[in-house]
Amino acid sequence: RTIRVWLKRDSGQYWPSIYHTMSSPCSAMAYHHDSRRIFVGQDNGAIMEFHISEDFNKMNFVKTYPAHQNRVSAITFCLASEWVISTGHDKCISWMCTRSGSMLGRHYFTSWASCLQYDHESRHAFVGDYSGQITLLKLEQNTCSVITTLKGHEGSITSLWWDPVQRLLFSGASDHSIIMWDIGGRKGRTLLLQGHHDKVQAICYIQLTRQLVSCSADGGIAVWNMDISREEAPQWLESDSCQKCEQPFFWNIKQMWDTKTLGLRQHHCRKCGQAVCGKCSTKRSSYPIMGFEFQVRVCDSCFESIKDEDRTSLATFHEGKHNISHMSMDISRGLMVTCGSDRIVKIWDMTPVVGCSLATGFSSR
């Protein structure tokens, strides 16, 4: 139930400078660096605003916003419009005026709203929810309109990242996968990335180096090379019989009766998307250019077409050694902070991995 500010001493150790005890457990936070304003969401649905002094040794309470009726899941602050925008477990997104503290608008979803990204120029909000959908909204002063709904994940959306330069949206989910959506090109899903063994808790796209950093609940940290031409995973094809040997699947009663054969279970080749039986897809292979860093089912003909160099990994994998529940990147300094369910905060020097020294001109330590 506390919010704390930690200062780095000359010795290199971090010590707590100030802290404030909240009336309810803290569930989300947004910090605006230039104005030193902190917005803290709580389990009771309220958002509290604080202002940090220039020397970071004082925390002044500003106001409380009655944003939600249940746990706040994500917060973002827009200085230009003086809006604090948030999502919550009461299945809604709300936007409030930070000058008056009044509610400007709300929009309700059918499931818990779990994560949020906001484009400050266009006033578009991306909201991920527990049903696995991402809703794109256009926020106005007192109303909003639904632009589109993105569907592609098989589990609840756990993290979102918006890149306003290339107009790309990245989403992580409890199905262990990451999807890249081309919003600017209106192409929908363009890439599926699978390299985690647990739900993806946090993602960050580094536009300067074309790298994507993702963290999962089991402590896995992946750095994806996005500066290459990747292939989009195909949509799965539907068929009543194997598209290789033409044997019927178990629901194809007519063909089973005509051929006097037992139906087979349907599978799909991850490379070509064809519906195949188990006998025609006995092989497994990784195929990183399509985002499959693990071995996945492929049909026998696709397996023969994959060369050894095609299996070279296009991501690096690292062990966080704690159950990562949140991650934040300071791209300018190449530093990453991870927070774990073990109540430990870790600070990482990511410069040897993400190549920020090339992008920002500072040398790695």
Side-chain angles (χ1 to χ4, degrees), residues 27-143:
S27 56
M29 183 175 72
Y31 174 60
H32 190 261
H33 179 75
D34 293 337
S35 62
R36 297 190 306 280
R37 295 161 77 175
I38 292 181
F39 299 86
V40 184
Q42 301 172 81
D43 271 6
N44 62 12
I47 296 174
M48 293 183 74
E49 180 186 350
F50 298 90
H51 183 262
I52 307 294
S53 63
E54 201 168 341
D55 60 2
F56 293 95
N57 280 309
K58 194 173 183 183
M59 186 188 304
N60 295 310
F61 169 73
V62 179
K63 60 169 69 79
T64 300
Y65 302 89
H68 296 275
Q69 301 296 318
N70 207 323
R71 172 183 289 188
V72 181
S73 57
I75 306 171
T76 187
F77 170 61
C78 180
L79 182 63
S81 57
E82 285 286 343
W83 286 2
V84 57
I85 307 158
S86 60
T87 54
H89 285 193
D90 56 357
K91 303 180 181 180
C92 85
I93 177 174
S94 70
W95 55 107
M96 305 187 70
C97 175
T98 54
R99 292 191 181 97
S100 64
S102 61
M103 178 69 67
L104 296 174
R106 272 199 181 104
H107 178 82
Y108 283 88
F109 306 94
T110 56
S111 300
W112 287 354
S114 52
C115 45
L116 166 71
Q117 287 284 281
Y118 182 67
D119 184 72
H120 297 267
E121 286 189 13
S122 65
R123 291 192 174 182
H124 284 141
F126 302 89
V127 181
D129 64 38
Y130 273 75
S131 73
Q133 292 187 170
I134 302 166
T135 305
L136 171 55
L137 299 164
K138 168 79 171 183
L139 302 187
E140 305 291 352
Q141 187 68 25
N142 297 110
T143 184

Side-chain angles (χ1 to χ4, degrees), residues 229-248:
S229 179
R230 288 180 176 266
E231 293 180 21
E232 181 182 356
Q235 296 292 332
W236 287 1
L237 302 176
E238 294 302 323
S239 176
D240 290 330
S241 56
C242 176
Q243 293 179 299
K244 295 295 182 183
C245 68
E246 299 184 352
Q247 285 281 92

Side-chain angles (χ1 to χ4, degrees), residues 236-251 264-284 297-302:
W236 287 1
L237 302 176
E238 294 302 323
S239 176
D240 290 330
S241 56
C242 176
Q243 293 179 299
K244 295 295 182 183
C245 68
E246 299 184 352
Q247 285 281 92
F249 294 130
F250 63 82
W251 60 81
L264 304 174
R265 184 181 172 190
Q266 183 191 60
H267 300 284
H268 284 92
C269 173
R270 302 307 193 267
K271 187 176 184 293
C272 68
Q274 287 190 319
V276 292
C277 66
K279 291 179 181 179
C280 295
S281 57
T282 58
K283 303 291 196 299
R284 302 287 186 277
R297 180 186 294 273
V298 292
C299 66
D300 293 352
S301 57
C302 280

Side-chain angles (χ1 to χ4, degrees), residues 202-220:
I203 47 182
C204 173
Y205 178 62
I206 305 172
Q207 200 274 330
L208 290 167
T209 60
R210 302 292 198 275
Q211 289 172 298
L212 179 71
V213 181
S214 57
C215 300
S216 58
D218 61 358

Side-chain angles (χ1 to χ4, degrees), residues 143-330:
T143 184
C144 72
S145 54
V146 177
I147 305 299
T148 188
T149 302
L150 306 174
K151 300 176 182 179
H153 283 289
E154 296 177 5
S156 58
I157 310 297
T158 51
S159 51
L160 290 173
W161 184 272
W162 169 245
D163 174 42
V165 178
Q166 292 183 272
R167 302 195 68 77
L168 298 173
L169 179 71
F170 297 87
S171 59
S174 60
D175 60 7
H176 309 177
S177 69
I178 300 164
I179 293 179
M180 185 182 88
W181 310 84
D182 186 352
I183 304 300
R186 299 179 182 272
K187 294 179 181 177
R189 190 185 95 171
T190 55
L191 281 180
L192 174 67
L193 303 175
Q194 294 185 332
H196 287 286
H197 296 284
D198 206 336
K199 60 182 177 181
V200 181
Q201 296 276 53
I203 47 182
C204 173
Y205 178 62
I206 305 172
Q207 200 274 330
L208 290 167
T209 60
R210 302 292 198 275
Q211 289 172 298
L212 179 71
V213 181
S214 57
C215 300
S216 58
D218 61 358
I221 300 170
V223 181
W224 306 81
N225 179 8
M226 307 301 291
D227 195 26
I228 56 170
S229 179
R230 288 180 176 266
E231 293 180 21
E232 181 182 356
Q235 296 292 332
W236 287 1
L237 302 176
E238 294 302 323
S239 176
D240 290 330
S241 56
C242 176
Q243 293 179 299
K244 295 295 182 183
C245 68
E246 299 184 352
Q247 285 281 92
F249 294 130
F250 63 82
W251 60 81
N252 189 349
I253 306 296
K254 184 180 184 304
Q255 190 178 344
M256 286 166 55
W257 179 264
D258 292 344
T259 59
K260 301 296 187 291
T261 55
L262 287 174
L264 304 174
R265 184 181 172 190
Q266 183 191 60
H267 300 284
H268 284 92
C269 173
R270 302 307 193 267
K271 187 176 184 293
C272 68
Q274 287 190 319
V276 292
C277 66
K279 291 179 181 179
C280 295
S281 57
T282 58
K283 303 291 196 299
R284 302 287 186 277
S285 176
S286 61
Y287 196 52
I289 200 166
M290 204 173 270
F292 300 118
E293 291 288 339
F294 302 146
Q295 290 196 346
V296 291
R297 180 186 294 273
V298 292
C299 66
D300 293 352
S301 57
C302 280
F303 182 83
E304 297 299 327
S305 70
I306 299 174
K307 304 185 181 84
D308 286 342
E309 54 265 30
D310 294 335
R311 297 184 176 92
T312 304
S313 179
L314 297 176
T316 58
F317 298 93
H318 314 271
E319 181 52 58
K321 295 184 178 177
H322 69 156
N323 297 331
I324 297 172
S325 55
H326 181 77
M327 175 268 284
S328 181
M329 284 280 294
D330 183 343

